[in-house]
Amino acid sequence: MSCDMLSPMVGFAQIWLPAPIKAPLGPFSYLWLFANALAAFFLAQVVALKAFPTVFGYVLIFVVGGLASITYGLINEGSLAAAVVTLLVFSLSAIAPLNRLFKNSRLREGLVHCNRVIKSTEEAISQAADHVSAELGKYTQSLELAHPFNMQRWAIEGILRVAQSQNELRTKLEADPKFARIFAEVEANWSKDDQDQNDSGHLDYIESLSFDPFSEIPDGLPEAQVKELQELKSAHRTFLREIAKKLSQDGDLAAEFEKIVAERGGHRLLVEINKFKKKNTSSS
């Protein structure tokens, strides 16, 4: 920027204000470049004196700043005047009042405070990222643990809906002989493929009954996972109690439900539900 102060400020060589203004500064471009170059050299001093002891900081400032001014002006610009101008701007940045400003105790305290704020912000961001990662891991583990329990609960609800539908249909057939006769004729005309497809549809959700939600919790699991599994098992037992209570109140529905489960190999599930049914019956 110091070297560019020697360039004629015409056309796109001058400084332009950004969009949406898009207006050239004209002669004020020299002032803009000078102010920015001066501020850049001054900030370089702030960084050097903050990163190194005072003696080494000043040596670094003058050696690197002086060499950079001379080599850039002579080699890159090919102009002695460019080197002189750059050295002049560099020298101005190292004398009062900027130098006194940098030595001001309030400025130093402000810089130290800013550095602390930056470090504490970085630490907070890092801790937040670790916390989010840990919570996502816990959420994933929770889904893995809850999946077999929720699948079986979904299957039991599906079987109950089928049993209720069949029970309602049986009641309608018993109440209307004409409707029962027509239904029997339609059912007799069903193709075997349709019947097989219907059976396979039942198997889709009944297969999940093979999972035993009351099996022992494996050894070696973290305490948090053990607690979560115990809560899931407790919630599942509550769900089975509600199903058992509903079945205890309707004998026909219970018969249809047990028939469907027994046909699909859900004997263990029937045993568990019947235990709750007996408790419900005795309590009522």
Side-chain angles (χ1 to χ4, degrees):
M1 287 186 288
S2 300
C3 294
D4 286 342
M5 289 169 58
L6 300 176
S7 303
M9 295 301 165
V10 293
F12 286 100
Q14 59 189 323
I15 303 301
W16 287 68
L17 294 176
I21 302 174
K22 292 184 179 181
L25 292 182
F28 291 103
S29 298
Y30 295 106
L31 182 60
W32 179 272
L33 289 170
F34 172 74
N36 276 272
L38 194 66
F41 275 128
F42 171 67
L43 289 175
Q45 295 176 48
V46 173
V47 173
L49 292 177
K50 185 172 177 59
F52 299 95
T54 304
V55 176
F56 293 105
Y58 275 115
V59 170
L60 182 67
I61 292 167
F62 286 104
V63 171
V64 176
L67 287 176
S69 301
I70 295 171
T71 54
Y72 188 87
L74 293 176
I75 298 175
N76 189 75
E77 297 294 323
S79 169
L80 179 62
V84 172
V85 170
T86 307
L87 276 173
L88 179 62
V89 176
F90 169 67
S91 301
L92 288 174
S93 70
I95 62 175
L98 294 179
N99 198 29
R100 285 201 301 270
L101 179 64
F102 172 68
K103 292 180 179 179
N104 185 282
S105 59
R106 290 185 178 180
L107 177 61
R108 286 181 175 273
E109 290 175 0
L111 290 172
V112 172
H113 178 69
C114 288
N115 188 48
R116 289 174 181 169
V117 170
I118 291 173
K119 287 185 177 179
S120 62
T121 303
E122 290 176 348
E123 291 175 358
I125 292 174
S126 177
Q127 291 175 359
D130 293 340
H131 178 71
V132 171
S133 178
E135 290 301 319
L136 284 175
K138 291 179 182 179
Y139 177 70
T140 303
Q141 291 177 353
S142 300
L143 289 179
E144 293 175 352
L145 291 173
H147 181 70
F149 290 92
N150 293 333
M151 278 295 293
Q152 190 178 64
R153 290 168 66 175
W154 174 80
I156 295 171
E157 288 175 344
I159 295 171
L160 185 62
R161 285 194 296 270
V162 173
Q164 288 173 331
S165 177
Q166 292 185 0
N167 190 41
E168 292 173 0
L169 177 61
R170 181 177 55 79
T171 303
K172 290 179 180 179
L173 294 175
E174 290 175 351
D176 190 343
K178 183 178 179 181
F179 174 70
R181 193 165 51 252
I182 296 173
F183 180 83
E185 293 176 358
V186 173
E187 189 178 40
N189 292 327
W190 277 0
S191 66
K192 186 177 182 301
D193 292 338
D194 291 337
Q195 185 63 43
D196 292 341
Q197 185 177 358
N198 187 52
D199 290 341
S200 65
H202 286 299
L203 285 172
D204 287 342
Y205 60 80
I206 295 178
E207 285 177 351
S208 62
L209 297 178
S210 60
F211 175 77
D212 184 5
F214 302 109
S215 59
E216 294 297 325
I217 298 176
D219 296 330
L221 287 178
E223 184 177 351
Q225 288 191 11
V226 172
K227 183 180 179 181
E228 192 168 4
L229 270 174
Q230 290 172 342
E231 291 176 352
L232 282 168
K233 293 175 75 169
S234 175
H236 195 72
R237 284 191 173 93
T238 302
F239 168 74
L240 290 183
R241 289 191 189 98
E242 294 174 355
I243 296 295
K245 184 178 181 180
K246 184 176 292 187
L247 296 177
S248 300
Q249 296 170 350
D250 190 336
D252 292 336
L253 176 61
E256 292 289 346
F257 180 86
E258 293 181 2
K259 177 182 177 183
I260 296 172
V261 177
E263 288 176 351
R264 303 302 179 184
H267 176 72
R268 177 195 51 74
L269 177 66
L270 290 178
V271 172
E272 294 293 339
I273 291 182
N274 285 329
K275 288 180 182 177
F276 293 122
K277 281 175 62 178
K278 290 178 181 177
K279 291 179 182 178
N280 289 329
T281 304
S282 59
S283 62
S284 61

